[in-house]
Amino acid sequence: MFINTAYEHVLHGHQEQVNEELPALLARLHPDDLALWNRYWRLWQAGRLHDEVDVRLVTPNGPDQWLSLLPHWHQDEEGHQWLSGVLRDITAEKRHHENSVKFNGKKNTVLDLLSHELAGAFGVLQQLTEYVRQEVGDVQQSQIPHMLEIMQQTSQKSVALIRNLLNQEFLESAGIPLQRERVDLREKVRECLEPLWQAPNPEDHRLVYECPTKPVYAEVDITKLLQVVTNLVNNAFKFTPSEGRITVRLSSEPGAVRLVVADDGIGIPSHLLPNVFERFTPARRTGLRGEPTTGLGLSLCKMIVELHHGTLTVVSTEGKGAAFTVELPA
């Protein structure tokens, strides 16, 4: 019945021909979104669609165009039902957000990777310092014992600083409200794992990523979800010996999305399994290379997953590895 002149600028049509152009416009709806938009359409007709929703339009020989619809439903005194709404072109906003998520995910993974490498190096330095101290003994009129003491203290403070930085980063970001959007998780998880494949010594562990060929959609705060993935993968590295295998497996299930992080490491003793997701859990253990733990990581992962109305579970046999499973609504 009515459309304003912005239609010509945003969708490049002709205002007076909007009804004739509608079939071609509907044909541009992204094929992955058709089932979702059929559902939105039914809710809108019933007066039950109130929140702003996003839609993708396929653009020939170009990137997808993103629009945001603020819907409205009204019934007049004669019983006629009217659908109206406002469409905004949010393509630029989506591009900026995607770049932000991409680089934030890389930042988190690189931060964990660097902390692992640096903390490991300082740990080795601590061990070497103690070994040299034992070899040298109490040398008379020598500065060596004093210098060794300084080296050991510096290493300890540096490791503590790195761990505190990571814990603070995770704690602060976990407390920020969710910013949910519908995303295809396949590429997001792949981008998150990319820095680990480019690590200095990737041959130390074999990291495998398995995912379907078709899109795997979920409505998530992708920044927070990738923090969970990063944390679970780094946890697997901590408790898997060199040359071990870590597998990240993404799959679509009826009504759900499943993400599994499995390893063939040392596993979790059965008496510790019930407590692994507790805050400051008694199940916390030092990593195989001396990596310390606060007992906060898995509890925060579980909290983030549950905020998404999902579940985080673990299955493990001591000496045979562990598998953490995240399940989210599709």
Side-chain angles (χ1 to χ4, degrees):
M1 298 298 294
F2 168 79
I3 191 161
N4 67 359
T5 54
Y7 169 73
E8 301 189 355
H9 300 289
V10 175
L11 295 170
H12 310 294
H14 302 86
Q15 187 180 4
E16 68 282 358
Q17 298 173 21
V18 61
N19 290 312
E20 291 80 2
E21 293 171 351
L22 182 59
L25 191 60
L26 290 174
R28 288 180 57 200
L29 281 170
H30 197 290
D32 290 347
D33 298 349
L34 289 177
L36 181 70
W37 269 91
N38 280 326
R39 178 171 173 268
Y40 283 155
W41 175 239
R42 292 193 297 271
L43 290 172
W44 194 6
Q45 286 180 301
R48 293 166 51 204
L49 185 66
H50 308 294
D51 297 326
E52 203 164 3
V53 290
D54 296 344
V55 57
R56 283 184 294 179
L57 297 183
V58 176
T59 302
N61 305 317
D64 294 341
Q65 183 180 16
W66 281 91
L67 300 171
S68 178
L69 168 69
L70 181 62
H72 183 66
W73 178 91
H74 174 70
Q75 183 167 303
D76 63 22
E77 295 177 355
E78 299 176 359
H80 298 137
Q81 295 177 359
W82 295 83
L83 303 182
S84 61
V86 177
L87 274 176
R88 292 188 303 117
D89 189 320
I90 57 169
T91 305
E93 294 174 34
K94 280 286 184 181
R95 296 287 174 266
H96 292 321
H97 181 67
E98 286 173 2
N99 284 332
S100 174
V101 167
K102 178 179 178 180
F103 288 105
N104 193 63
K106 283 189 175 182
K107 179 265 295 180
N108 286 337
T109 308
V110 170
L111 192 62
D112 277 346
L113 186 63
L114 286 176
S115 72
H116 176 78
E117 295 295 327
L118 288 172
F122 281 122
V124 171
L125 183 58
Q126 282 182 264
Q127 294 173 354
L128 289 175
T129 302
E130 186 59 34
Y131 176 75
V132 173
R133 191 202 302 276
Q134 293 173 3
E135 287 290 306
V136 170
D138 187 13
V139 182
Q140 295 294 326
Q141 296 180 339
S142 172
Q143 292 296 312
I144 292 178
H146 178 61
M147 288 187 288
L148 289 173
E149 182 68 26
I150 293 174
M151 289 169 63
Q152 191 163 46
Q153 290 179 2
T154 302
S155 299
Q156 289 172 343
K157 288 178 181 178
S158 299
V159 171
L161 183 65
I162 291 167
R163 297 300 174 189
N164 288 338
L165 173 66
L166 280 178
N167 292 334
Q168 191 63 30
E169 170 86 7
F170 202 5
L171 276 170
E172 287 181 0
S173 59
I176 299 172
L178 296 182
Q179 301 292 325
R180 297 171 70 142
E181 60 176 330
R182 181 172 177 264
V183 295
D184 178 1
L185 293 178
R186 295 174 308 161
E187 288 308 311
K188 300 297 183 185
V189 173
R190 188 184 304 278
E191 289 172 5
C192 173
L193 300 177
E194 194 68 37
L196 294 172
W197 284 314
Q198 298 172 5
N201 297 302
E203 68 280 357
D204 287 350
H205 294 93
R206 186 182 175 201
L207 177 61
V208 179
Y209 178 43
E210 300 174 357
C211 68
T213 55
K214 295 182 178 180
V216 179
Y217 284 104
E219 191 173 294
V220 297
D221 183 323
I222 190 62
T223 302
K224 281 189 171 53
L225 186 64
L226 292 184
Q227 281 185 303
V228 172
V229 175
T230 299
N231 197 283
L232 292 177
V233 172
N234 277 289
N235 208 51
F237 274 112
K238 279 168 59 175
F239 297 106
T240 302
S242 297
E243 300 181 1
R245 175 187 171 110
I246 292 128
T247 303
V248 179
R249 188 179 303 112
L250 180 68
S251 62
S252 287
E253 308 297 333
V257 170
R258 180 177 297 159
L259 183 108
V260 179
V261 177
D263 63 68
D264 56 5
I266 62 172
I268 304 170
S270 57
H271 70 279
L272 295 179
L273 271 175
N275 308 112
V276 293
F277 296 116
E278 293 178 6
R279 206 170 250 240
F280 305 111
T281 172
R284 63 183 184 270
R285 296 175 294 167
T286 301
L288 295 182
R289 297 154 199 85
E291 305 97 330
T293 179
T294 60
L296 277 172
L298 289 177
S299 68
L300 288 174
C301 286
K302 189 173 180 67
M303 182 188 77
I304 290 172
V305 171
E306 289 179 347
L307 284 173
H308 284 87
H309 307 295
T311 59
L312 174 59
T313 56
V314 60
V315 175
S316 180
T317 301
E318 190 170 9
K320 296 185 178 179
F324 287 85
T325 300
V326 175
E327 283 209 1
L328 301 168

